[in-house]
Amino acid sequence: MADETSARRFQEKVVLLTGAASGIGRATALRLAQEGATLFLADIAEPELESTAKEVEAIGSQVHAQRLDVSREEETEAALAACVAHFGGLQALCNVAGIIRFAHLADTSFEIWRRILSVNLDGTFLMCRAAMPHLLESGGNIVNVGSTAGLSGLPYGSAYGASKGGVHALTRALAVEFTHRGVRCNSVCPGSIDTAMMRPDIPEGAERRLLARSSSLHGPRGPERVAELIAFLASDEAQHISGEEIRIDGAALA
Ligand SMILES: NC(=O)c1ccc[n+]([C@@H]2O[C@H](COP(=O)([O-])OP(=O)(O)OC[C@H]3O[C@@H](n4cnc5c(N)ncnc54)[C@H](O)[C@@H]3O)[C@@H](O)[C@H]2O)c1
């Protein structure tokens, strides 16, 4: 049921959202639906993606859900083509899909390193590149999900931190290249958000005090908090904000 009191900032707007099957992506889909968005939802986890799509439908929004591995170039291009074919255009791209794996450096195989970079960084790049012609046409915008791990060192998370630092740098580069042509690009940097990702396997021998360095000072918060921030940045209320990375981490890195 739509929240009658919420703003309807996304009425008549099409948003493509990756990582929509769970956590922050699912919460963002529901938030945008409550604000009237037409949603193209994508993820690799198909059954969970379908259940997000059903929740969005129940709110009353138009939705299309499609399996997408963001690390596969041809799939990203096909997803953008499908979105435009379904809904006639695109006003915002939210890149939320991501993976993490904790490991000591010596146990971080090149394969794991490549996979994390491939989903988190290549996937974000591929989606931005495929979406840009449509965003230039609509005067739309991009919100990428980075991480506090891309701003400060995350022990046992070298690949993840490198991928998220890359996402922030990519976002700034695109903001400088495209803001004057009408497309804003921002990233959000969450920390301590209570999702499946917050419960990873910690490697044996890991020092908990190092892991605790970037913990929120008021404890974890739900994914809805990040969804609110993504919705704000993707909306016209943020029309003079571009090239920004906004921490949402309960003062962890303050
Ligand atoms: N939870 C936190 O504290 C936290 C902190 C910082 C950043 N983040 C970032 O927030 C984003 C969402 O994470 P979350 O916490 O909601 O975790 P999550 O695991 O619940 O969600 C991640 C989603 O990405 C999807 N995904 C994974 N690989 C994919 C691929 N190749 N193609 C398409 N979809 C894929 C998963 O199926 C899942 O639905 C991620 O980018 C994550 O790095 C989370």
Side-chain angles (χ1 to χ4, degrees), residues 18-25 42-45 68-71 95-99 115 119-120 145-148 160 164 189-198:
T18 72
S22 69
I24 294 169
D43 203 293
I44 43 168
L68 165 66
D69 180 342
V70 295
S71 69
N95 284 308
V96 185
I99 54 172
R115 185 65 192 152
V119 173
N120 296 359
V145 176
S147 172
T148 51
Y160 182 76
K164 292 299 189 177
C189 312
S192 302
I193 305 301
D194 191 10
T195 67
M197 193 172 277
M198 267 269 288

Side-chain angles (χ1 to χ4, degrees), residues 84-148:
V84 173
H86 261 87
F87 296 130
L90 180 70
Q91 275 72 39
L93 168 68
C94 302
N95 284 308
V96 185
I99 54 172
I100 196 168
R101 182 87 66 86
F102 279 97
H104 293 279
L105 180 63
D107 300 326
T108 303
S109 67
F110 189 51
E111 195 188 346
I112 291 175
W113 170 273
R114 281 288 345 138
R115 185 65 192 152
I116 292 174
L117 269 286
S118 175
V119 173
N120 296 359
L121 183 55
D122 297 358
T124 304
F125 157 72
L126 290 169
M127 291 300 295
C128 290
R129 192 184 63 180
M132 193 55 81
H134 309 292
L135 296 172
L136 282 166
E137 218 167 276
S138 65
N141 72 86
I142 295 174
V143 181
N144 290 328
V145 176
S147 172
T148 51

